[in-house]
Amino acid sequence: GRRREAGQLVEGRYGGRGYTIPSPPQEPQLTTFIAYDEGQLVGTVSVRLDSENGLSADELYRNEIDALRTAGARICEFTRLAVDKTAASKPVLAGLFHTAYLYASVIRGCTHAVIEVNPRHVVFYGRALRFDPIGEERMNRRVDAPAVLLCAPFATIAEGIANYAGKPDAPGAGRSLFLYGFPPEDEPGVLRRLRELVAAS
């Protein structure tokens, strides 16, 4: 039921912009995180771990992702990110992203994340979450929209969280979403819950 709710949120946010939204297949490498506020679903993001089946982004950017693999990177893919427009979007987005980062980096041992985004969102992901383009604009037939491949080393994300999470007065934060991440004292509790969920799955 929760997976269905997450799918409906994705379809509502992306379908309203004219994107084609294929239903995600059931696969062991895909984990979906869902944010609720007082019982109301307000955001979702999925993390796909690299495997022998590859990543969705391999369809358009195999050479670029293979270059990361060859360099020794352990890659995951962030996908199907959506936040309810009626929610406090920055804290929800930051909380989802921070949780997905902890899961992929600390629990699963990934070193880099990639994400395909619409070209008009490249600046936002760079400014707010330190993702940089590593692939040119191409047409993504899965969603019938243009895409650009972005990548972020988790070491860079960890630095941003350490510098800004829970520190609204930190100099140089700008419009970074790291400001809204979990403060350092909250991370152990989030990690403990993630390990419990993984162990129970």
Side-chain angles (χ1 to χ4, degrees), residues 45-118:
V45 66
S46 294
V47 176
R48 178 178 286 107
L49 303 176
D50 200 9
S51 70
E52 61 183 14
N53 296 321
L55 304 170
S56 291
D58 279 313
E59 183 177 330
L60 287 181
Y61 296 103
R62 183 60 182 264
N63 290 339
E64 290 83 353
I65 295 174
D66 275 349
L68 291 172
R69 294 177 176 123
T70 300
R74 297 187 297 277
I75 309 166
C76 69
E77 177 179 50
F78 287 4
T79 184
R80 298 177 70 85
L81 173 64
V83 174
D84 190 326
K85 63 183 178 180
T86 64
S89 58
K90 286 184 178 180
V92 171
L93 182 57
L96 279 168
F97 181 84
H98 198 156
T99 302
Y101 151 74
L102 289 173
Y103 169 77
S105 176
V106 181
I107 305 295
R108 294 303 190 185
C110 297
T111 61
H112 292 67
V114 296
I115 186 170
E116 292 174 289
V117 304
N118 189 286

Side-chain angles (χ1 to χ4, degrees), residues 7 10-16 18-24 80 142-144:
V10 170
E11 290 171 7
R13 297 297 291 147
Y14 287 81
Y19 298 161
T20 300
I21 309 299
S23 298
R80 298 177 70 85
R142 281 179 282 111
V143 297
D144 197 24

